[in-house]
Amino acid sequence: MSIWDKIKHGIEEVAQDAQRAAENLGHNVSQGVRSQTPEEMQRYSEWEQALQQRRLPNFVQNRMFATSQGHLPWISTATAAELLLQRSHGVQPIGMVTGNCWYHFGYSWTQGHYDGWHTAVERMRLEAIALGANAIVDVRMKVRHGEGEDMDYGVTGTAIRLTGIPPATAPVIATVSALEFVRLLEDGVVPVGIAIGANFDWYMPWMGTVADQASQQAPFAARYWNMEITDLSTFQENVRRRALYDLREDGRKMAAGVLGHTSYTQMFRVPADQDNPERFLCRHISIG
């Protein structure tokens, strides 16, 4: 399953969770919602300060340390069979790590996607550092839309140690499984991270689409023509190229030599209204 298949699957799960949450909210309202305890308010305050300082709260660091020392149960995204294979290849799972970022879009959806994903990834990396990991594997990425111009970016993966290698100051991040990660290392390929390329753009044809122009010239014949709408094709291609350029530049920052990526494209037509002419929104996202 590709990253975007996972993302779309995650969105479906979120929709189901949202419905259940709404039902629970209605139940809580009818029963009366309890207020936060002093301990909960303190934890909330610590989280808020930690996010502003780009670090983990002390209680999270303590939990991570206890997990890394084997004092707390650890969670892995791998199956039991995969765990057995990982052991034979010198991989020691330490625990599941996560990161998320609620991001509000202002002037640029393109920059918003870059910042939102990378903020979530770096928060996940902080948890892996606290565990003393060498890498994060089997990273899964999910997105969900908020009420307005905001979106939640979430990443989850398994932090691992490799036998004979000291903990990393900046654990590498990969979407492949732990076993595939080791096989890549054996073949001389070192995953270095996740690169993001995204571009959103609007197109407003001054004279309508090519089909519209043809209809004006030959209103009775145009509907029977097979023809490409070249201005929209060019528009979509330009959006895609800009997103791939951003992907390559993001990979260049990590000194990546190869980008194995998956892409996702959407085109929306927005009909004309009293304030705006007919418009087209194209978005292309690549994750490598």
Side-chain angles (χ1 to χ4, degrees), residues 21 24-37 40:
N24 292 336
L25 178 61
H27 176 74
N28 290 336
V29 170
S30 62
Q31 299 296 323
V33 180
R34 67 174 179 84
S35 60
Q36 288 185 321
T37 65
E40 290 172 336

Side-chain angles (χ1 to χ4, degrees), residues 157-203:
T158 297
I160 62 171
R161 288 194 189 118
L162 301 177
T163 302
I165 300 179
T169 56
V172 299
I173 300 173
T175 56
V176 298
S177 68
L179 190 58
E180 292 171 328
F181 183 83
V182 174
R183 287 173 176 168
L184 287 173
L185 295 179
E186 292 173 344
D187 289 337
V189 178
V190 182
V192 293
I194 297 177
I196 307 295
N199 193 267
F200 289 66
D201 201 2
W202 286 95
Y203 169 67

Side-chain angles (χ1 to χ4, degrees), residues 36-46:
Q36 288 185 321
T37 65
E39 181 182 3
E40 290 172 336
M41 295 179 66
Q42 176 65 25
R43 287 168 68 93
Y44 178 85
S45 176
E46 288 184 32

Side-chain angles (χ1 to χ4, degrees), residues 20 32 37 40 44 49 53 78 101 119 164 229 232 235 264 283:
R20 288 192 291 268
T37 65
E40 290 172 336
Y44 178 85
Q49 293 178 17
Q53 299 170 7
C101 174
T119 300
I229 307 177
L232 289 182
F235 168 58
Y264 182 74
R283 61 186 185 186

Side-chain angles (χ1 to χ4, degrees), residues 28 108 137 227 235 274:
N28 290 336
S108 173
V137 297
M227 56 189 300
F235 168 58
Q274 60 181 3

Side-chain angles (χ1 to χ4, degrees), residues 3 6 77 97 121 124 136-141 154-158 172-177 194:
I3 294 175
K6 294 178 181 178
T77 55
V97 289
V121 167
M124 179 177 65
I136 308 170
V137 297
D138 197 23
V139 173
R140 303 172 184 181
M141 311 175 75
V155 288
T156 303
T158 297
V172 299
I173 300 173
T175 56
V176 298
S177 68
I194 297 177

Side-chain angles (χ1 to χ4, degrees), residues 67-138:
T67 300
S68 68
Q69 299 301 306
H71 302 318
L72 290 176
W74 52 269
I75 303 172
S76 173
T77 55
T79 65
E82 289 173 335
L83 289 174
L84 290 174
L85 287 173
Q86 291 172 17
R87 294 281 185 178
S88 66
H89 282 71
V91 175
Q92 177 191 353
I94 315 174
M96 189 172 71
V97 289
T98 63
N100 82 290
C101 174
W102 272 100
Y103 198 94
H104 172 75
F105 294 99
Y107 70 94
S108 173
W109 277 58
T110 298
Q111 187 65 33
H113 273 267
Y114 181 90
D115 292 341
W117 277 124
H118 277 285
T119 300
V121 167
E122 289 308 312
R123 288 174 180 169
M124 179 177 65
R125 197 195 304 270
L126 287 176
E127 292 195 356
I129 293 173
L131 286 172
N134 298 119
I136 308 170
V137 297
D138 197 23

